[in-house]
Amino acid sequence: MTANPFEKLESALRGEGPQAGLDLLARQFLDQKNYRGWFEARLLGRRHELGLPLIQEGSLEDIPAGQRRDYEETFIEAARETGSLFLADGNIPAAWPYFRAVGDTGPVAAAIEKVEAGEGIEPVIEIAFLEGVHPAKGFQLLLAHYGTCRAISSFEQYPARQGRDDCARLLVRTIHGELVERIKAAILEAEGQAPETRSLTELMAGRDWLFGEYSYYVDTSHVMSVIRFSAELDDPETLRLAIELTDYGRRLSPNFQYKGDPPFENIALDYGVYLRALLGEDPDGAVAHFRRKVEESDPEQIGTAPAQVLVGLLAHLGRYTEAIDLSLERLGSADPARLACPSVYALCQMAGDFERLKQVAREREDLLTFTAGALGTADERR
């Protein structure tokens, strides 16, 4: 504030009235870019107008019901304006609490979209990625600022569905791009010229010398992790890049072959079969491949993951009858909420087989789902 701000404020209050004093207070806070003070001054003025206690104690819920709506409207308006003032100054961390308080993520997400990695980016990454305001951009910043290892660890711990596919795509493209550049550099050194192609498959073709006993080009644990993540995706372009990663992984020496969890014990080989099937390449072979794993597995020792993977694959391929039969055979006692594949009820619905849904529901004494099946059957007959 300027010299003797308290005297100036008290003079305004006495000479021109409460509103003049409050306006002066707000202007002084704005001049100082003290936006938190400006926000509180707005609320103080509204409390005075409504005859509420001037010193706020407790939360909005403590305000009498008859005055709460008017006060909340001022709170929401002031919060948005305060957040916008902070955003205009480029202070996203200071702006976020105000927009979060009113459930409005849009302006903060738009601001984050324009941010580049640099010093002091950590709180922006936390808001964007961990708080889910702009997960894809937050993950991009995280990858650029902290590197691949931290990004992979963060992705594995990220539970939300929103933005997850974008993050997985970024990881696949990043690892694929690093491999392309490093393999091209190796070819340039050995052959004097590097091919123009960005295809790993083409770069590796006819160059077995790239894969010696101790040869690798990107941290193998990173490659295998990203291959695992790619199974969540469905866009063909990224899946093809992931398939190239599996081709690369299969050519590494045994020193760099990581054992995965069933049914993907051989990560590069098994995911290669699975990802190709997602793109419609040799689906029969993939079903046979994973059916053998189901038949050879002992659920008491390794659980039902092999059956869940095959059920999910069959559903993706539209082979619902096989998926339903396998689900009933292998997943009958599993908790549907813990399945990584569609439940038998969902499979029946996907197949449009409401008679089968009724049958399964009757066997399980599930009257609610039986009713759903009966309604579906009746709708089909209309």
Side-chain angles (χ1 to χ4, degrees):
M1 292 185 181
T2 58
N4 299 314
F6 297 96
E7 288 79 357
K8 286 186 64 175
L9 183 57
E10 191 162 32
S11 175
L13 288 168
R14 287 177 176 174
E16 303 175 57
Q19 190 58 51
L22 288 165
D23 289 344
L24 174 62
L25 178 65
R27 285 197 303 273
Q28 289 176 327
F29 281 140
L30 280 178
D31 290 342
Q32 293 178 327
K33 294 197 171 187
N34 182 353
Y35 303 136
R36 293 182 179 87
W38 181 83
F39 173 76
E40 295 298 341
R42 289 283 306 277
L43 297 186
L44 173 61
R46 192 58 170 151
R47 289 197 297 275
H48 182 264
E49 289 177 10
L50 295 173
L52 295 169
L54 298 179
I55 304 300
Q56 182 177 348
E57 296 287 343
S59 67
L60 293 176
E61 298 300 319
D62 297 318
I63 295 174
Q67 297 155 303
R68 187 181 306 153
R69 182 174 179 180
D70 288 340
Y71 188 75
E72 285 180 343
E73 288 177 354
T74 300
F75 180 92
I76 292 170
E77 179 183 348
R80 285 203 172 99
E81 291 177 5
T82 304
S84 297
L85 288 167
F86 277 119
L87 288 183
D89 282 356
N91 193 340
I92 293 172
W96 170 232
Y98 294 94
F99 285 106
R100 180 176 56 194
V102 297
D104 186 3
T105 63
V108 178
I112 290 172
E113 178 63 32
K114 302 173 185 176
V115 172
E116 299 297 330
E119 186 176 352
I121 198 66
E122 295 88 347
V124 176
I125 292 173
E126 182 174 346
I127 293 165
F129 184 65
L130 297 180
E131 297 200 43
V133 174
H134 194 336
K137 180 66 176 185
F139 192 73
Q140 178 187 336
L141 294 171
L142 188 155
L143 181 60
H145 186 70
Y146 292 111
T148 305
C149 188
R150 175 75 173 270
I152 288 173
S153 298
S154 298
F155 182 86
E156 289 186 301
Q157 297 167 15
Y158 184 65
R161 185 69 258 170
Q162 180 189 5
R164 187 172 174 85
D165 287 355
D166 290 331
C167 297
R169 277 191 285 269
L170 179 58
L171 279 175
V172 171
R173 291 168 182 166
T174 299
I175 292 296
H176 184 276
E178 289 180 5
L179 277 172
V180 166
E181 292 304 322
R182 293 179 187 182
I183 289 178
K184 288 178 76 168
I187 294 172
L188 176 63
E189 182 178 356
E191 300 179 358
Q193 184 175 357
E196 293 297 323
T197 181
R198 302 289 299 175
S199 166
L200 276 178
T201 302
E202 293 176 9
L203 289 171
M204 296 184 294
R207 295 186 175 95
D208 291 342
W209 56 266
L210 284 167
F211 297 95
E213 185 178 1
Y214 298 104
S215 299
Y216 71 97
Y217 299 90
V218 169
D219 187 309
T220 307
S221 66
H222 294 173
V223 176
M224 297 305 170
S225 292
V226 170
I227 287 172
R228 288 192 294 106
F229 303 154
S230 68
E232 302 179 19
L233 300 173
D234 57 12
D235 68 289
E237 181 182 352
T238 310
L239 285 174
R240 293 203 179 280
L241 297 181
I243 288 170
E244 291 195 356
L245 295 182
T246 67
D247 291 341
Y248 163 83
R250 290 175 63 183
R251 300 187 68 166
L252 292 171
S253 78
N255 293 316
F256 304 108
Q257 295 293 336
Y258 285 56
K259 185 180 174 74
D261 296 324
F264 300 104
E265 295 89 348
N266 186 325
I267 294 176
L269 171 64
D270 293 325
Y271 274 103
V273 172
Y274 185 84
L275 296 176
R276 284 186 167 86
L278 294 183
L279 291 179
E281 299 176 12
D282 192 18
D284 291 338
V287 169
H289 179 85
F290 288 103
R291 193 177 293 280
R292 282 194 300 273
K293 289 178 173 286
V294 171
E295 293 170 351
E296 294 169 1
S297 66
D298 183 351
E300 293 186 0
Q301 292 185 358
I302 65 171
T304 61
Q308 292 187 52
V309 167
L310 181 53
V311 166
L313 178 59
L314 289 168
H316 178 85
L317 297 173
R319 295 164 65 160
Y320 300 118
T321 299
E322 293 176 69
I324 292 168
D325 291 342
L326 180 61
S327 181
L328 290 172
E329 177 188 348
R330 293 278 181 162
L331 305 176
S333 60
D335 180 358
R338 295 181 177 275
L339 290 176
C341 64
S343 68
V344 68
Y345 289 160
L347 291 166
C348 290
Q349 178 167 265
M350 293 162 71
D353 191 346
F354 293 104
E355 287 296 335
R356 189 77 181 274
L357 179 60
K358 286 167 55 182
Q359 176 189 342
V360 175
R362 185 189 292 273
E363 291 170 355
R364 297 183 174 184
E365 299 184 347
D366 183 346
L367 188 59
L368 180 64
T369 303
F370 178 86
T371 303
L375 289 169
T377 301
D379 289 343
E380 284 184 331
R381 291 172 179 168
R382 289 196 184 102

